[in-house]
Amino acid sequence: MKIVDGDKAECDRCEEIFALEDVSLLEKHTNRAYEKVLCGECLGAVGVPRGYKLRRDITYLSR
């Protein structure tokens, strides 16, 4: 996960920069170190596979 300028994140799929309010965090249930930031469009394409959970609000990561 790449946080940019303290209040933006880079989507791990399309590599565009978005505000933290506009991205979600996909986490694997069995591996807490596995985190992927996804924008709304990429989340729509990927979905939430079995064994993963989605955090829609990651604004707590801002500086």
Side-chain angles (χ1 to χ4, degrees):
M1 170 180 9
K2 293 183 184 175
I3 302 293
V4 181
D5 295 333
D7 62 347
K8 298 177 186 144
E10 180 179 333
C11 176
D12 285 318
R13 187 167 185 259
C14 69
E15 299 180 347
E16 291 188 40
I17 305 295
F18 295 92
L20 286 177
E21 298 87 28
D22 299 330
V23 295
S24 299
L25 186 65
L26 190 63
E27 297 177 316
K28 198 169 192 175
H29 284 294
T30 58
N31 184 356
R32 297 273 308 178
Y34 181 90
E35 298 177 331
K36 296 290 180 181
V37 173
L38 297 173
C39 66
E41 187 175 325
C42 290
L43 178 59
V46 173
V48 182
R50 182 179 291 176
Y52 291 80
K53 67 179 178 179
L54 185 68
R55 289 185 191 224
R56 292 201 178 268
D57 182 16
I58 61 169
T59 54
Y60 66 91
L61 296 173
S62 66
R63 294 182 188 174

Coordinates of all heavy atoms in Angstrom, one line a residue:
M1 N 0.8 -1.2 0.0 CA 0.0 0.0 0.0 C 0.9 1.2 0.0 O 1.8 1.3 0.8 CB -0.9 0.0 1.2 CG -1.6 1.3 1.4 SD -2.7 1.4 2.9 CE -2.4 0.0 3.8
K2 N 0.6 2.2 -0.9 CA 1.4 3.4 -1.0 C 0.5 4.6 -0.6 O -0.5 4.9 -1.3 CB 1.9 3.6 -2.4 CG 2.9 2.6 -2.8 CD 3.5 2.9 -4.2 CE 4.4 1.9 -4.7 NZ 4.8 2.1 -6.0
I3 N 0.9 5.2 0.5 CA 0.2 6.5 0.9 C 1.0 7.6 0.3 O 2.2 7.7 0.4 CB 0.1 6.6 2.4 CG1 -0.6 5.4 3.1 CG2 -0.5 7.9 2.8 CD1 -2.0 5.3 2.7
V4 N 0.3 8.5 -0.4 CA 1.0 9.6 -1.1 C 0.5 11.0 -0.4 O -0.7 11.2 -0.3 CB 0.6 9.6 -2.6 CG1 1.3 10.8 -3.3 CG2 1.0 8.3 -3.2
D5 N 1.4 11.8 -0.1 CA 1.1 13.1 0.5 C 0.2 13.1 1.8 O -0.5 14.0 2.1 CB 0.4 14.0 -0.5 CG 1.3 14.4 -1.7 OD1 2.5 14.4 -1.5 OD2 0.8 14.6 -2.8
G6 N 0.2 11.9 2.4 CA -0.5 11.8 3.7 C -2.0 11.6 3.6 O -2.6 11.2 4.6
D7 N -2.6 12.0 2.5 CA -4.1 11.9 2.4 C -4.6 11.3 1.1 O -5.7 11.3 0.8 CB -4.8 13.2 2.6 CG -4.4 14.2 1.6 OD1 -3.4 14.0 0.8 OD2 -5.0 15.3 1.5
K8 N -3.6 10.6 0.4 CA -4.0 10.0 -0.9 C -3.3 8.6 -0.9 O -2.3 8.4 -0.2 CB -3.5 10.8 -2.1 CG -4.1 12.2 -2.2 CD -3.6 12.9 -3.3 CE -4.2 14.3 -3.3 NZ -3.2 15.4 -3.6
A9 N -3.9 7.7 -1.8 CA -3.3 6.4 -1.9 C -3.3 6.0 -3.3 O -4.1 6.4 -4.1 CB -4.1 5.4 -1.1
E10 N -2.3 5.1 -3.7 CA -2.2 4.6 -5.0 C -3.0 3.2 -5.1 O -2.8 2.4 -4.3 CB -0.8 4.4 -5.4 CG -0.6 3.9 -6.8 CD 0.9 3.7 -7.1 OE1 1.8 4.4 -6.6 OE2 1.2 2.8 -8.0
C11 N -3.9 3.1 -6.1 CA -4.6 1.9 -6.3 C -3.6 0.8 -6.7 O -2.8 1.1 -7.6 CB -5.7 2.1 -7.4 SG -6.5 0.6 -7.8
D12 N -3.6 -0.3 -6.1 CA -2.7 -1.4 -6.4 C -3.0 -2.1 -7.7 O -2.1 -2.8 -8.2 CB -2.7 -2.4 -5.3 CG -1.9 -1.9 -4.1 OD1 -0.9 -1.3 -4.2 OD2 -2.5 -2.2 -2.9
R13 N -4.1 -1.8 -8.3 CA -4.4 -2.5 -9.6 C -4.2 -1.5 -10.8 O -3.4 -1.9 -11.7 CB -5.9 -2.9 -9.6 CG -6.2 -3.8 -10.8 CD -7.6 -4.4 -10.6 NE -7.9 -5.3 -11.7 CZ -8.7 -5.0 -12.7 NH1 -9.4 -3.9 -12.7 NH2 -9.0 -5.9 -13.6
C14 N -4.7 -0.3 -10.8 CA -4.6 0.6 -11.9 C -3.5 1.6 -11.7 O -3.1 2.3 -12.6 CB -5.9 1.3 -12.2 SG -6.4 2.5 -11.0
E15 N -2.9 1.7 -10.5 CA -1.8 2.5 -10.1 C -2.1 4.0 -10.2 O -1.2 4.8 -10.3 CB -0.5 2.2 -10.9 CG -0.1 0.7 -10.7 CD 1.1 0.3 -11.4 OE1 1.5 1.0 -12.4 OE2 1.7 -0.7 -11.1
E16 N -3.4 4.4 -10.2 CA -3.7 5.8 -10.2 C -3.8 6.3 -8.7 O -4.0 5.5 -7.8 CB -5.1 6.1 -10.9 CG -5.0 5.9 -12.4 CD -6.2 6.3 -13.1 OE1 -6.8 7.3 -12.7 OE2 -6.6 5.6 -14.0
I17 N -3.7 7.6 -8.5 CA -3.7 8.2 -7.2 C -5.1 8.7 -6.9 O -5.7 9.4 -7.7 CB -2.7 9.4 -7.1 CG1 -1.3 8.9 -7.5 CG2 -2.7 10.0 -5.7 CD1 -0.7 7.9 -6.6
F18 N -5.6 8.3 -5.7 CA -7.0 8.7 -5.2 C -6.9 9.2 -3.8 O -6.0 8.8 -3.0 CB -7.9 7.5 -5.3 CG -8.2 7.0 -6.7 CD1 -7.4 6.0 -7.2 CD2 -9.2 7.5 -7.5 CE1 -7.6 5.5 -8.4 CE2 -9.4 7.0 -8.7 CZ -8.6 6.0 -9.2
A19 N -7.9 10.0 -3.4 CA -8.0 10.4 -2.0 C -8.4 9.2 -1.2 O -9.0 8.3 -1.7 CB -9.1 11.5 -1.9
L20 N -8.0 9.2 0.1 CA -8.3 8.0 0.9 C -9.7 7.8 1.1 O -10.1 6.6 1.2 CB -7.7 8.3 2.3 CG -6.1 8.1 2.4 CD1 -5.7 8.4 3.8 CD2 -5.7 6.7 2.0
E21 N -10.6 8.8 0.9 CA -12.0 8.6 1.0 C -12.6 7.8 -0.2 O -13.7 7.3 -0.1 CB -12.7 10.0 1.0 CG -12.4 10.8 2.2 CD -11.2 11.7 2.0 OE1 -10.9 12.0 0.9 OE2 -10.5 12.0 3.0
D22 N -11.8 7.8 -1.3 CA -12.3 7.1 -2.5 C -11.7 5.8 -2.8 O -11.9 5.2 -3.9 CB -11.9 8.1 -3.7 CG -12.6 9.4 -3.6 OD1 -13.7 9.5 -3.0 OD2 -12.1 10.4 -4.1
V23 N -11.0 5.2 -1.8 CA -10.4 3.8 -2.0 C -10.9 2.9 -0.9 O -11.3 3.4 0.2 CB -8.9 3.9 -2.1 CG1 -8.4 4.6 -3.3 CG2 -8.3 4.4 -0.9
S24 N -10.7 1.6 -1.1 CA -11.0 0.6 -0.1 C -9.8 -0.3 0.1 O -9.0 -0.3 -0.8 CB -12.2 -0.2 -0.6 OG -13.4 0.6 -0.7
L25 N -9.8 -1.0 1.2 CA -8.7 -1.9 1.5 C -9.1 -3.3 1.5 O -10.0 -3.7 2.3 CB -8.1 -1.5 2.9 CG -6.8 -2.2 3.3 CD1 -5.7 -1.8 2.4 CD2 -6.5 -1.8 4.7
L26 N -8.6 -4.1 0.7 CA -8.9 -5.5 0.6 C -7.9 -6.3 1.4 O -6.7 -6.2 1.2 CB -8.9 -6.0 -0.9 CG -9.4 -7.4 -1.2 CD1 -10.9 -7.5 -0.9 CD2 -9.2 -7.7 -2.7
E27 N -8.3 -7.1 2.4 CA -7.5 -7.8 3.3 C -7.8 -9.3 3.3 O -8.9 -9.7 3.1 CB -7.6 -7.3 4.7 CG -7.3 -5.9 5.0 CD -7.5 -5.5 6.4 OE1 -8.6 -5.8 7.0 OE2 -6.7 -4.8 7.0
K28 N -6.8 -10.1 3.4 CA -7.0 -11.6 3.4 C -7.2 -12.0 4.9 O -6.5 -11.6 5.8 CB -5.7 -12.2 2.8 CG -5.9 -13.6 2.4 CD -4.8 -14.1 1.6 CE -5.1 -15.5 1.0 NZ -4.0 -15.9 0.1
H29 N -8.2 -12.8 5.1 CA -8.5 -13.3 6.5 C -7.3 -14.0 7.1 O -7.0 -13.9 8.3 CB -9.7 -14.2 6.5 CG -11.0 -13.5 6.3 ND1 -11.5 -12.7 7.3 CD2 -11.9 -13.6 5.3 CE1 -12.7 -12.2 6.9 NE2 -13.0 -12.7 5.7
T30 N -6.6 -14.9 6.4 CA -5.6 -15.7 6.9 C -4.2 -15.0 6.9 O -3.3 -15.6 7.4 CB -5.5 -17.0 6.1 OG1 -5.2 -16.7 4.8 CG2 -6.7 -17.8 6.3
N31 N -4.1 -13.8 6.3 CA -2.8 -13.2 6.2 C -3.0 -11.7 6.4 O -3.2 -11.0 5.4 CB -2.1 -13.5 4.9 CG -0.7 -12.9 4.8 OD1 -0.2 -12.2 5.7 ND2 -0.1 -13.2 3.7
R32 N -2.8 -11.2 7.6 CA -3.1 -9.8 7.9 C -2.1 -8.8 7.2 O -2.3 -7.7 7.0 CB -3.0 -9.5 9.4 CG -4.1 -10.2 10.2 CD -5.3 -9.4 10.3 NE -5.2 -8.1 10.8 CZ -6.2 -7.3 10.9 NH1 -7.4 -7.7 10.7 NH2 -6.0 -6.0 11.3
A33 N -1.0 -9.4 6.7 CA 0.0 -8.6 6.0 C -0.4 -8.3 4.6 O 0.2 -7.5 3.9 CB 1.4 -9.3 6.1
Y34 N -1.3 -9.1 4.1 CA -1.8 -9.0 2.7 C -2.9 -7.9 2.6 O -4.0 -8.0 3.2 CB -2.4 -10.3 2.2 CG -2.9 -10.2 0.7 CD1 -2.0 -10.5 -0.3 CD2 -4.2 -9.8 0.4 CE1 -2.5 -10.4 -1.6 CE2 -4.6 -9.7 -0.9 CZ -3.8 -10.0 -1.9 OH -4.2 -9.8 -3.2
E35 N -2.5 -6.7 2.0 CA -3.4 -5.6 1.9 C -3.3 -5.0 0.5 O -2.2 -4.8 0.0 CB -3.1 -4.5 2.9 CG -3.2 -4.9 4.3 CD -2.8 -3.8 5.3 OE1 -2.0 -3.0 4.9 OE2 -3.4 -3.7 6.4
K36 N -4.4 -4.8 -0.1 CA -4.4 -4.2 -1.5 C -5.4 -3.0 -1.4 O -6.6 -3.2 -1.0 CB -4.9 -5.2 -2.5 CG -4.0 -6.3 -2.7 CD -2.7 -5.9 -3.4 CE -1.7 -7.1 -3.5 NZ -0.5 -6.8 -4.1
V37 N -5.0 -1.9 -1.8 CA -5.8 -0.7 -2.0 C -6.4 -0.7 -3.4 O -5.7 -0.9 -4.4 CB -5.0 0.6 -1.8 CG1 -5.8 1.8 -2.1 CG2 -4.4 0.7 -0.4
L38 N -7.8 -0.5 -3.4 CA -8.5 -0.6 -4.7 C -9.4 0.6 -4.8 O -10.1 1.0 -3.9 CB -9.3 -1.8 -4.8 CG -8.5 -3.2 -4.9 CD1 -9.5 -4.3 -4.8 CD2 -7.6 -3.2 -6.1
C39 N -9.4 1.3 -6.0 CA -10.3 2.3 -6.2 C -11.7 1.7 -6.5 O -11.8 0.5 -6.7 CB -9.9 3.2 -7.4 SG -9.8 2.3 -9.0
G40 N -12.7 2.5 -6.6 CA -14.1 2.0 -6.9 C -14.2 1.2 -8.1 O -14.9 0.1 -8.2
E41 N -13.6 1.7 -9.2 CA -13.7 0.9 -10.5 C -13.0 -0.4 -10.4 O -13.5 -1.4 -10.9 CB -13.1 1.8 -11.6 CG -13.3 1.2 -13.0 CD -12.8 2.1 -14.1 OE1 -12.9 3.4 -13.9 OE2 -12.3 1.6 -15.1
C42 N -11.8 -0.4 -9.9 CA -11.1 -1.7 -9.8 C -11.8 -2.7 -8.8 O -11.8 -3.9 -9.0 CB -9.6 -1.5 -9.3 SG -8.7 -0.7 -10.6
L43 N -12.3 -2.1 -7.7 CA -13.1 -3.0 -6.8 C -14.3 -3.6 -7.5 O -14.6 -4.8 -7.3 CB -13.6 -2.2 -5.6 CG -14.4 -2.9 -4.5 CD1 -13.6 -4.1 -4.0 CD2 -14.8 -2.0 -3.4
G44 N -14.9 -2.9 -8.4 CA -16.1 -3.4 -9.1 C -15.6 -4.5 -10.0 O -16.3 -5.5 -10.2
A45 N -14.4 -4.4 -10.6 CA -13.9 -5.5 -11.5 C -13.4 -6.7 -10.7 O -13.6 -7.8 -11.1 CB -12.7 -4.9 -12.3
V46 N -12.8 -6.5 -9.5 CA -12.3 -7.6 -8.7 C -13.3 -8.2 -7.8 O -13.4 -9.4 -7.6 CB -11.1 -7.1 -7.9 CG1 -10.5 -8.2 -7.0 CG2 -9.9 -6.6 -8.8
G47 N -14.1 -7.4 -7.2 CA -15.0 -7.8 -6.1 C -14.3 -8.2 -4.9 O -13.1 -7.9 -4.7
V48 N -15.0 -8.9 -4.0 CA -14.4 -9.4 -2.8 C -14.4 -10.9 -2.8 O -15.5 -11.5 -2.5 CB -15.2 -8.9 -1.5 CG1 -14.5 -9.3 -0.2 CG2 -15.2 -7.3 -1.5
P49 N -13.3 -11.6 -3.1 CA -13.3 -13.0 -3.2 C -13.5 -13.7 -1.8 O -13.3 -13.0 -0.8 CB -11.9 -13.3 -3.7 CG -11.3 -12.0 -4.2 CD -12.0 -10.9 -3.5
R50 N -13.8 -14.9 -1.8 CA -14.0 -15.7 -0.6 C -12.7 -15.7 0.2 O -11.6 -15.9 -0.4 CB -14.4 -17.1 -0.9 CG -14.6 -17.9 0.4 CD -15.1 -19.3 0.0 NE -16.4 -19.2 -0.5 CZ -17.1 -20.3 -1.0 NH1 -16.5 -21.5 -1.0 NH2 -18.3 -20.1 -1.4
G51 N -12.7 -15.5 1.5 CA -11.5 -15.5 2.3 C -10.9 -14.1 2.4 O -9.9 -14.0 3.1
Y52 N -11.5 -13.1 1.9 CA -11.1 -11.7 2.0 C -12.1 -10.9 2.7 O -13.3 -11.2 2.7 CB -10.8 -11.1 0.6 CG -9.6 -11.8 -0.1 CD1 -9.7 -13.0 -0.7 CD2 -8.4 -11.1 -0.1 CE1 -8.6 -13.6 -1.4 CE2 -7.3 -11.7 -0.7 CZ -7.4 -12.9 -1.3 OH -6.3 -13.5 -2.0
K53 N -11.7 -9.7 3.2 CA -12.7 -8.8 3.8 C -12.3 -7.4 3.2 O -11.2 -7.2 2.8 CB -12.7 -8.8 5.3 CG -11.4 -8.3 6.0 CD -11.6 -8.3 7.5 CE -10.3 -7.9 8.1 NZ -10.4 -7.9 9.6
L54 N -13.3 -6.5 3.3 CA -13.1 -5.2 2.7 C -13.3 -4.1 3.7 O -14.3 -4.2 4.5 CB -14.2 -5.0 1.6 CG -14.1 -3.7 0.8 CD1 -12.8 -3.7 -0.1 CD2 -15.3 -3.6 -0.1
R55 N -12.4 -3.2 3.8 CA -12.5 -2.0 4.7 C -12.8 -0.9 3.7 O -12.0 -0.5 2.9 CB -11.3 -1.8 5.4 CG -11.0 -2.7 6.5 CD -9.8 -2.3 7.3 NE -9.4 -3.4 8.2 CZ -9.1 -3.2 9.4 NH1 -9.1 -2.0 9.9 NH2 -8.7 -4.2 10.2
R56 N -14.0 -0.3 3.8 CA -14.3 0.8 3.0 C -13.8 2.2 3.5 O -13.5 3.1 2.7 CB -15.8 0.9 2.8 CG -16.4 -0.3 2.0 CD -17.7 0.1 1.4 NE -18.2 -1.1 0.7 CZ -18.0 -1.2 -0.6 NH1 -17.3 -0.3 -1.3 NH2 -18.5 -2.2 -1.3
D57 N -13.6 2.3 4.8 CA -13.1 3.6 5.3 C -11.7 3.4 5.9 O -11.5 2.8 6.9 CB -14.1 4.0 6.5 CG -13.6 5.4 7.1 OD1 -12.8 6.1 6.4 OD2 -14.1 5.7 8.2
I58 N -10.8 4.0 5.1 CA -9.4 3.9 5.6 C -8.8 5.3 5.8 O -7.6 5.5 5.8 CB -8.5 3.1 4.6 CG1 -8.4 3.7 3.2 CG2 -8.9 1.6 4.5 CD1 -7.4 3.1 2.3
T59 N -9.7 6.2 6.1 CA -9.2 7.6 6.3 C -8.4 7.7 7.6 O -7.7 8.7 7.7 CB -10.4 8.6 6.4 OG1 -11.4 8.1 7.4 CG2 -11.2 8.7 5.0
Y60 N -8.5 6.8 8.5 CA -7.6 6.8 9.7 C -6.1 6.7 9.3 O -5.3 7.0 10.2 CB -8.0 5.6 10.6 CG -7.7 4.3 10.1 CD1 -6.5 3.6 10.3 CD2 -8.7 3.6 9.3 CE1 -6.3 2.4 9.8 CE2 -8.4 2.3 8.8 CZ -7.2 1.7 9.1 OH -6.9 0.5 8.6
L61 N -5.8 6.3 8.1 CA -4.4 6.3 7.7 C -3.8 7.6 7.3 O -2.6 7.7 7.1 CB -4.3 5.3 6.5 CG -4.6 3.9 6.8 CD1 -4.6 3.1 5.5 CD2 -3.7 3.2 7.8
S62 N -4.6 8.6 7.2 CA -4.1 10.0 6.8 C -3.3 10.6 7.9 O -3.5 10.3 9.1 CB -5.3 10.9 6.4 OG -6.1 11.2 7.6
R63 N -2.4 11.4 7.6 CA -1.5 12.1 8.5 C -2.1 13.4 9.0 O -2.7 14.1 8.4 CB -0.1 12.3 7.9 CG 0.5 11.0 7.6 CD 1.9 11.3 7.1 NE 2.4 10.0 6.6 CZ 3.5 9.9 6.0 NH1 4.2 11.0 5.7 NH2 4.0 8.8 5.6

